[in-house]
């Protein structure tokens, strides 16, 4: 199997177009999504508890993985409004798609279809923010 020619940030030109399309889909989907209660609880916990209290006491009652709270903690402590929680998860989803496009051994047609299914753009990057860390 031949080496793929890298163009921008280690991606080929078709991969750059796929990533740009993925970003466009997220930019269209995120403003129409209304966050759920558990996402709000995670944001509030990250905002009002310290790191050790959050990790060792609060998380035993929560359903999200601890790494999601570690990602939320600095952003929430800086006073960023809760509305941006989905943009934070979109950034994690974009990073995940970048790694998928750059390092996957799949042919182009598989790499072109994967980011535009239901799970990767909507379920992981928009609707359930902590899943984007997978």
């Amino acid at each position: 199997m031949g080496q793929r020619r890298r163009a921008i940030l280690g991606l080929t030109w078709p991969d750059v177009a796929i990533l740009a399309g993925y970003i466009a889909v997220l930019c269209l989907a995120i403003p129409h999504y209304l966050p759920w209660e558990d996402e709000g609880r995670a944001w509030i916990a990250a905002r009002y508890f310290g790191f050790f209290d959050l990790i060792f006491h609060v998380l035993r009652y929560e359903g999200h993985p601890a790494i999601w709270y570690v990602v939320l903690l600095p952003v929430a402590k800086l006073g960023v409004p809760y509305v941006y929680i989905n943009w934070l998860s979109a950034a994690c989803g974009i990073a995940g798609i970048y790694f998928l496009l750059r390092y996957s051994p799949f042919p182009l047609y598989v790499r072109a279809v994967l980011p535009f299914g239901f799970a990767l753009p909507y379920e992981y990057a928009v609707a359930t923010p902590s899943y984007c860390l997978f």
Side-chain angles (χ1 to χ4, degrees):
M1 196 160 171
Q3 252 334 46
R4 291 187 274 184
R5 292 184 52 113
R6 306 293 181 191
I8 297 175
L9 297 172
L11 296 177
T12 62
W13 288 110
D15 290 337
V16 170
I18 293 166
L19 185 64
Y22 181 77
I23 293 170
V25 167
L26 288 183
C27 288
L28 292 173
I30 287 176
H32 299 290
Y33 175 73
L34 296 174
W36 290 32
E37 177 188 354
D38 63 330
E39 298 167 23
R41 266 198 327 260
W43 185 267
I44 290 171
R47 187 171 191 159
Y48 292 109
F49 291 104
F51 177 77
F52 291 106
D53 285 335
L54 186 66
I55 297 297
F56 295 113
H57 298 292
V58 176
L59 290 188
R60 72 178 81 165
Y61 305 111
E62 295 295 326
H64 296 289
I67 193 167
W68 179 239
Y69 292 91
V70 172
V71 169
L72 286 179
L73 195 67
V75 178
K77 292 284 186 191
L78 286 174
V80 175
Y82 171 66
V83 195
Y84 295 107
I85 189 171
N86 291 91
W87 293 104
L88 178 65
S89 67
C92 294
I94 290 167
I97 294 299
Y98 168 77
F99 284 113
L100 174 91
L101 293 172
R102 174 145 188 204
Y103 297 111
S104 70
F106 304 128
L108 178 62
Y109 65 90
V110 175
R111 290 193 321 266
V113 172
L114 275 176
F116 300 105
F118 174 74
L120 292 179
Y122 183 73
E123 190 67 30
Y124 287 166
V126 176
T128 49
S130 63
Y131 291 180
C132 68
L133 298 173
F134 290 131

